[in-house]
Amino acid sequence: MSTPRFLDLPPGVAPQKIETPQGTFAALTAIPVSGVVERWPALLVPGLTGSKEDFIAVLMTLAQSGRRVVAIDLRGQYETPGPDDPAAYTCAALGSDVDQLAQVIGGGDPVHLVGHSFGGLVAREAAIDGRTRFASFTLMSSGPGAIEGRRARNGKKIMEEVPARGLEHVWHTRFEPEALANDVSDDIMEFLHKRLLANSPTGLARMAEQVLSMHDRTDELREVEVPTLVLYGEHDDGWPPEAQSEMAARLGADCVVVPGAVHSPAVEAPETTAAALVRFWNTAEQRYLDTRSNIL
């Protein structure tokens, strides 16, 4: 589980409810503390057991590049409500939510899309389906298909235990011991507990099933021809670093390995991660403008 290191919102960052034709989504929205919004906005999508708070450490820095940056809770996650229908939590259904959010956030402008871990699989659906024009797409600690290793085993336990035993049981047997082992502070521990229990049990179990069964759509993503970045920690324990590197090569994508980071670069190395995203976004925008200039 991604564990933010602090919860106080930096300057320029505020909670927001975003209305879409598919429902209301909880978000944290960042705008520049100084200067103006002059660049295209960005939408950040969290992982399976995460939330918008996983991006707190990078939001102010990203916004200071001159853009509005929005981190969301997916349907059924933390502060975004969700139904009891498992069909609402497939990658395709959640990707459709991302499409709607991007269209609202962009207001006619292209949007930079970032998906972390399971959020990368969801965001990839939105990038591939072609309903929304994205300025760029970043896969952050997200692989070509089903998750592997220790995190796959944990996902299988979530899929099996949440419907049978409930979220409180999963907290006490899995999430709480992990947080205690990592010496998480009392306020963060309280937040993690509250966040887990606020999830839709149906949604969490279904999303766990999705991350364990997703097939490789790398070739389909390449056909979209959206500027793509693959960014991951050098010690990633979700998808092997070599698998993510190979995926980047297949995509013809930029690739950034974050030194010292594991599976949550935005938490573990926020300044390095933010700098890489801003550099990539600015380059994607300049390429677009250069292309338009040549056409005209």
Side-chain angles (χ1 to χ4, degrees):
M1 98 187 122
S2 286
T3 304
R5 293 177 176 170
F6 61 90
L7 297 170
D8 292 335
L9 298 182
V13 181
Q16 183 184 11
K17 299 293 186 182
I18 300 179
E19 302 289 342
T20 79
Q22 292 180 208
T24 303
F25 291 80
L28 292 175
T29 296
I31 58 174
V33 177
S34 59
V36 297
V37 175
E38 58 185 358
R39 292 184 176 275
W40 292 338
L43 171 59
L44 314 181
V45 182
L48 172 64
T49 57
S51 65
K52 58 193 178 300
E53 286 74 15
D54 296 340
F55 298 108
I56 284 177
V58 298
L59 286 174
M60 185 175 72
T61 304
L62 294 176
Q64 279 304 111
S65 63
R67 51 177 51 89
R68 179 185 179 210
V69 181
V70 180
I72 58 142
D73 292 338
L74 286 166
R75 181 183 301 277
Q77 272 186 337
Y78 190 30
E79 295 178 323
T80 297
D84 290 331
D85 180 5
Y89 303 103
T90 65
C91 285
L94 296 170
S96 179
D97 291 343
V98 170
D99 276 319
Q100 293 286 346
L101 283 158
Q103 290 164 24
V104 171
I105 291 165
D109 287 332
V111 172
H112 297 285
L113 180 61
V114 179
H116 172 237
S117 192
F118 172 72
L121 302 181
V122 169
R124 185 177 67 179
E125 296 291 313
I128 290 173
D129 69 32
R131 285 178 282 184
T132 305
R133 175 168 151 251
F134 292 103
S136 72
F137 177 41
T138 298
L139 287 153
M140 180 187 293
S141 298
S142 188
I147 201 166
E148 302 180 33
R150 178 182 70 86
R151 292 184 183 273
R153 293 189 292 274
N154 289 344
K156 189 170 187 294
K157 292 294 184 181
I158 289 173
M159 183 177 68
E160 295 170 347
E161 292 179 5
V162 167
R165 306 294 295 276
L167 292 170
E168 192 71 62
H169 169 81
V170 172
W171 167 257
H172 287 299
T173 59
R174 302 203 165 274
F175 292 91
E176 185 179 33
E178 178 185 337
L180 289 170
N182 291 328
D183 198 25
V184 170
S185 64
D186 290 344
D187 63 325
I188 300 297
M189 182 76 79
E190 182 180 352
F191 164 75
L192 295 176
H193 185 209
K194 177 184 176 183
R195 178 172 73 176
L196 179 67
L197 296 189
N199 276 269
S200 160
T202 300
L204 190 60
R206 180 62 161 162
M207 288 189 280
E209 183 273 329
Q210 290 283 285
V211 80
L212 290 166
S213 62
M214 180 53 59
H215 59 281
D216 189 334
R217 301 196 70 187
T218 303
D219 291 341
E220 293 166 86
L221 179 60
R222 183 183 177 91
E223 292 177 5
V224 177
E225 296 184 344
V226 62
T228 303
L229 170 66
V230 173
L231 182 149
Y232 56 91
E234 66 171 327
H235 305 300
D236 199 331
D237 60 356
W239 286 267
E242 56 271 20
Q244 295 181 67
S245 175
E246 180 185 359
M247 177 180 67
R250 289 171 60 194
L251 289 168
D254 292 356
C255 187
V256 172
V257 182
V258 180
V262 188
H263 190 60
S264 300
V267 173
E268 297 149 353
E271 292 305 317
T272 302
T273 300
L277 287 173
V278 169
R279 184 169 56 248
F280 173 64
W281 292 345
N282 290 348
T283 299
E285 290 179 23
Q286 189 59 52
R287 286 175 181 167
Y288 175 83
L289 293 173
D290 290 345
T291 300
R292 292 285 297 172
S293 177
N294 289 336
I295 291 173
L296 297 175

